[in-house]
Amino acid sequence: MSSKVGNSIGKEVTRVDGPLKVTGRAKYAADHNLKGLLYAVPVGSTVANGKIVSMNVQGAESMPGVVKVYHHHNVSGLYSGGDHAHEQRIPLSDETIEYYGQYIALVVAKTLEQAQAAASEIKVEYSAQPPTVTAQGLGNDLGQASARGDAGGTFASSPVQVDANYSTPTEVHNPMELHATVVDYKEEGFTVYESTQSVMGSQRGLMNQLGEPQERMRVVAQFIGSGFGGKLALWPHATLAAVASKDLKLPVKLMITRKMAAETVGHRPGTHQRVRLGAEQDGKINSLIHEYGSESSMGSGYRENCGEATPSLYGAQNLRVTSGIYHLNVGSPTAMRGPGAVPGTYATECAMDELAQKLGMDPIELRKMNEPKLDLSNGRPFSSRHYLECLEEGAKRFGWHKRKSTPGQPDANGNIHGYGVAGCSWFAGRGWGDVLLELLDDGTASVACATQDIGTGTYTVVAQMAADRLGIDPHLVNVKIGDSRFPPGPTSGGSTATAGLVPAVLSAAENAVVNLLQAASTDSSSPFSGISPHDLALTNGFVHQASQSANSGVPWGDLLKKLKRKSMSGKGNSQYASPDQTPVSMHSYGCHFAEVVWQPQLAQIRVSRVCSVIDAGKIINPLTGKNQIEGAVIMGVGMALMEQSIYDRQSGAPINSNFAEYLVPTHMDAPDVDVHFLDYPDFHINQLGARGIGEIGLAGVAAAIANAVANATGKRVRDLPITVEKLLS
Ligand code: MOS
């Protein structure tokens, strides 16, 4: 063991779970092919607003291999899922239909093909009314999200004004791994292999819906093929798989289709936003008014919090943010990567660009002019804010000085290049949880926690945290996560898991070391017997006298063997922290610079390159960190130019529920992405100064691209996605 204490954090450690993934040994939920496994296929409603009048399941029930068909007449005894289920309806509870695709039956058969065939034979009669799937205005139940000063009055008297409406469409998460649930019911309880961003949350949701105690509900998610927020909550298919497995006393697998993924497992709701900026001629913003409405389902109160970043990003003395909601005949919305701040900063960062244009001012200068000294929404100092440095560094790396302020100047090939910039912000929270760390007699360590790795690198960064304190190679740390039986751990959501794991892992490591040194001091078979534990230390994996070098000591594995102990453990813990609970304003910041190429002859717009500078505190692993930002930027290209779920006005179906018609960027659409981290530790959040990094990279990308498109074409498209039709109209 040659590495030193403090040698793992900030290092480009390759993924510790990489070999398992590339060799196919990593087991995702649907890979659990248990003995006697049955296959479940849900049947979705083909109307979006109405009632089931009759359902004929007899034909389906008599088909080969069919074990049982579940529907609202034979499923009962389920409870509300509470906060852990974003679909508020209890599955198969009655004949009411609130959205297209709502599950009306579940077929269980011996093979997948038999279940699919029987599902297509279920005959349903509906009474249906036309669905409401589109929204206008700023919504109902208008609530004030934030306010200071006299925003309306100062806007009216401001010499320079921007007043613009923006909209963002419904977006679908589209993780590569579809939602899948395998439930293994036994007399003693449930084992649920679930693709989830929270084994604890899924456990709680299933306990709630099935009325089961915690000890009978085990949720396992060892590997997850991304979630982007869509796998934070429990969705009806998982509950139904559990119902079937319990009833039939056999394991049941249910994997939804790509079509169902657009209907029944949440989406980023469409938003309609009005932004007003009132400024002085010198660019000083007097007033910022951000009003928005977000689309929701009939039963859900979920609102896209578009004003998340608005009150603290700029120094406007007068501000008002209001939030409205529309109830539509669509499936329940849910969080999607950077919920709120992503569509919100799309609108506000485009409005900033429009203001800069009106003022004839450089967009970066405008932002410098309005940099606040503290968070004006609550009067608190910033924990660590380097927003302007992000802009300055980005401008240098990107070559911002080459931007032409007037659009439409073609290069030698007739292509028009446009440059755009936008800022981004995301709150910095800290997840809560417990960790059990064990030092083992083979010289390795293990860390157990009921958190999970959704593809972001949690296995690797947890190994780094433990290895850093223990002074060993991170690959010698066995990270045990993705199982609700481990000590309760954080949800992989809101960019809070890593920040929350830092205190828990470090304190667990510290406590394990203390316990080991104590035993080394007191056990008569120890070479350090009789030496005070305070005069002992663990460095580079060696237990030694603090006054002597590490190499003079004994590797902990050898020491444990002498003590006749298999392991020595320590517990650690992290307390939850959200922005409103801390005396400082904790956010991550950043900016994106985008270049687009507009080819008027072909009517083609492409993003050619993006430079992102991110201020997210200490970066624990620049490889996994950079990977997060690159992925987010490409997601932002989709948001800006391609992605939208389109609801058919007659059937209420999201009709482009497939990868042929719901466009996401391919490799050909991906720009060159230059990611740079400022790497200033923020010690308000944890001992390493590491804030989360999952969502910040998406905020602002669509605005930077929209601003670049306006710079290239002279045309401001405010309704996403920016399609060629909109550019030419
Ligand atoms: Mo994120 S939307 O909290 O997975």
Side-chain angles (χ1 to χ4, degrees):
M1 285 180 272
S2 59
S3 45
K4 293 188 179 66
V5 173
N7 208 21
S8 293
I9 300 302
K11 289 286 152 28
E12 295 193 335
V13 177
T14 56
R15 288 174 189 256
V16 296
D17 53 334
L20 285 179
K21 286 187 170 173
V22 297
T23 55
R25 283 176 291 159
K27 274 196 168 187
Y28 294 76
D31 295 332
H32 291 85
N33 292 312
L34 309 173
K35 200 164 178 281
L37 187 68
L38 299 174
Y39 294 81
V41 169
V43 180
S45 168
T46 54
V47 303
N49 181 20
K51 283 196 179 313
I52 301 167
V53 174
S54 69
M55 191 187 301
N56 187 338
V57 298
Q58 282 153 11
E61 279 172 340
S62 62
M63 286 174 69
V66 173
V67 177
K68 190 156 175 179
V69 179
Y70 296 89
H71 44 82
H72 65 284
H73 288 305
N74 66 1
V75 171
S76 61
L78 291 176
Y79 302 89
S80 152
D83 290 348
H84 297 279
H86 289 183
E87 158 89 43
Q88 291 303 304
R89 285 183 51 83
I90 296 171
L92 305 186
S93 52
D94 58 27
E95 50 284 300
T96 306
I97 305 294
E98 291 182 344
Y99 63 91
Y100 183 98
Q102 180 187 316
Y103 299 145
I104 55 165
L106 182 80
V107 178
V108 181
K110 294 211 167 107
T111 71
L112 176 62
E113 293 76 10
Q114 287 168 334
Q116 286 168 330
S120 68
E121 282 306 310
I122 289 178
K123 305 281 185 258
V124 191
E125 244 188 279
Y126 301 96
S127 73
Q129 291 85 50
T132 310
V133 290
T134 55
Q136 299 292 329
L138 293 170
N140 305 313
D141 305 330
L142 220 59
Q144 192 132 292
S146 184
R148 56 184 186 248
D150 172 17
T154 43
F155 175 77
S157 60
S158 291
V160 185
Q161 300 175 343
V162 165
D163 181 355
N165 289 295
Y166 303 88
S167 72
T168 63
T170 297
E171 285 183 273
V172 181
H173 304 79
N174 278 320
M176 285 315 294
E177 184 210 13
L178 286 158
H179 290 253
T181 310
V182 174
V183 184
D184 186 16
Y185 179 81
K186 296 261 167 38
E187 209 52 50
E188 60 273 18
F190 298 78
T191 302
V192 181
Y193 301 95
E194 169 76 332
S195 187
T196 176
Q197 292 175 238
S198 176
V199 289
M200 299 301 300
S202 290
Q203 180 196 44
R204 182 60 57 182
L206 284 164
M207 284 162 55
N208 289 352
Q209 290 222 296
L210 294 152
E212 292 282 347
Q214 188 166 19
E215 63 273 15
R216 282 175 50 81
M217 190 61 69
R218 177 185 179 196
V219 174
V220 178
Q222 284 178 311
F223 295 94
I224 299 118
S226 293
F228 308 120
K231 294 173 181 170
L232 285 172
L234 178 77
W235 296 100
H237 65 271
T239 305
L240 291 177
V243 165
S245 181
K246 184 182 179 189
D247 180 47
L248 301 170
K249 309 223 168 349
L250 282 169
V252 170
K253 181 195 283 193
L254 196 169
M255 185 174 206
I256 68 164
T257 60
R258 194 57 70 183
K259 177 175 179 289
M260 289 171 191
E263 297 164 354
T264 62
V265 286
H267 52 262
R268 189 200 298 284
T271 72
H272 305 259
Q273 306 180 53
R274 181 182 181 192
V275 181
R276 277 174 281 179
L277 292 171
E280 298 297 325
Q281 294 291 357
D282 65 358
K284 185 92 199 137
I285 297 170
N286 302 320
S287 174
L288 198 178
I289 306 174
H290 186 186
E291 300 160 298
Y292 60 88
S294 68
E295 299 175 0
S296 208
S297 62
M298 283 300 163
S300 169
Y302 180 87
R303 289 175 194 231
E304 188 74 9
N305 180 17
C306 296
E308 194 271 315
T310 312
S312 55
L313 195 48
Y314 298 113
Q317 290 294 337
N318 303 283
L319 172 139
R320 188 172 73 237
V321 179
T322 64
S323 146
I325 192 167
Y326 321 83
H327 293 288
L328 305 178
N329 290 111
V330 300
S332 177
T334 193
M336 179 166 157
R337 204 173 197 178
V342 164
T345 53
Y346 162 67
T348 53
E349 288 301 288
C350 284
M352 287 296 281
D353 203 65
E354 297 202 52
L355 178 61
Q357 211 176 341
K358 268 203 171 165
L359 291 163
M361 202 170 173
D362 184 283
I364 296 175
E365 293 307 311
L366 175 64
R367 286 170 173 86
K368 282 187 188 166
M369 188 79 186
N370 291 286
E371 173 72 1
K373 295 218 160 36
L374 45 76
D375 185 338
L376 293 180
S377 72
N378 52 26
R380 293 172 192 162
F382 294 112
S383 61
S384 171
R385 172 168 164 139
H386 302 89
Y387 181 48
L388 296 186
E389 189 178 331
C390 290
L391 288 162
E392 281 157 9
E393 180 65 26
K396 243 185 284 167
R397 298 176 76 91
F398 184 76
W400 181 249
H401 65 278
K402 286 185 272 180
R403 174 180 185 260
K404 300 177 182 74
S405 57
T406 40
Q409 300 168 12
D411 68 10
N413 300 317
N415 295 335
I416 301 171
H417 297 249
Y419 284 16
V421 66
C424 59
S425 164
W426 180 252
F427 80 90
R430 187 174 65 217
W432 65 273
D434 296 339
V435 157
L436 178 71
L437 186 142
E438 285 187 287
L439 304 170
L440 296 153
D441 69 348
D442 62 0
T444 66
S446 77
V447 181
C449 178
T451 188
Q452 52 286 309
D453 187 334
I454 59 173
T456 47
T458 306
Y459 277 107
T460 310
V461 296
V462 167
Q464 286 176 264
M465 293 170 202
D468 198 66
R469 170 59 190 95
L470 302 172
I472 59 169
D473 185 317
H475 291 87
L476 293 174
V477 180
N478 178 18
V479 179
K480 301 194 285 191
I481 58 177
D483 190 331
S484 62
R485 287 203 174 158
F486 295 136
T491 291
S492 299
S495 305
T496 61
T498 299
L501 285 162
V502 168
V505 175
L506 294 190
S507 57
E510 201 50 56
N511 288 331
V513 170
V514 166
N515 292 341
L516 179 67
L517 300 185
Q518 183 67 36
S521 157
T522 51
D523 196 305
S524 59
S525 51
S526 161
F528 306 104
S529 181
I531 303 174
S532 162
H534 302 288
D535 296 330
L536 297 174
L538 184 143
T539 314
N540 298 347
F542 287 77
V543 176
H544 60 102
Q545 293 196 48
S547 57
Q548 295 176 21
S549 75
N551 290 349
S552 71
V554 187
W556 82 59
D558 295 352
L559 176 62
L560 284 169
K561 284 195 186 100
K562 284 189 209 297
L563 303 180
K564 300 244 178 316
R565 297 189 66 140
K566 176 80 189 143
S567 65
M568 186 65 74
S569 65
K571 288 181 188 165
N573 158 275
S574 170
Q575 302 294 321
Y576 181 78
S578 76
D580 28 321
Q581 292 172 324
T582 49
V584 286
S585 172
M586 293 197 300
H587 289 79
S588 283
Y589 299 93
C591 62
H592 305 281
F593 289 78
E595 180 185 73
V596 300
V597 179
W598 169 232
Q599 295 174 272
Q601 304 92 330
L602 297 174
Q604 180 169 277
I605 191 100
R606 296 183 70 86
V607 182
S608 50
R609 61 192 182 100
V610 171
C611 170
S612 303
V613 182
I614 304 292
D615 169 26
K618 178 72 195 167
I619 302 301
I620 291 180
N621 185 332
L623 275 183
T624 54
K626 196 175 158 201
N627 192 215
Q628 284 294 295
I629 304 301
E630 287 171 340
V633 166
I634 292 164
M635 212 166 173
V637 172
M639 180 181 174
L641 304 181
M642 299 170 194
E643 290 191 51
Q644 59 179 330
S645 212
I646 299 166
Y647 290 94
D648 179 76
R649 284 174 195 225
Q650 281 178 331
S651 69
I655 42 174
N656 57 338
S657 51
N658 54 70
F659 275 147
E661 293 163 296
Y662 184 100
L663 303 184
V664 294
T666 65
H667 283 291
M668 287 288 284
D669 301 303
D672 287 338
V673 186
D674 172 29
V675 178
H676 182 72
F677 293 113
L678 292 192
D679 215 28
Y680 289 112
D682 180 350
F683 294 114
H684 284 99
I685 196 151
N686 54 42
Q687 303 92 311
L688 296 178
R691 299 191 295 241
I693 205 172
E695 346 237 349
I696 180 78
L698 181 56
V701 178
I705 294 169
N707 295 339
V709 170
N711 180 243
T713 65
K715 189 163 168 96
R716 176 65 65 172
V717 176
R718 299 188 181 88
D719 301 311
L720 292 184
I722 304 171
T723 56
V724 167
E725 304 90 279
K726 290 178 194 169
L727 273 176
L728 295 179
S729 73

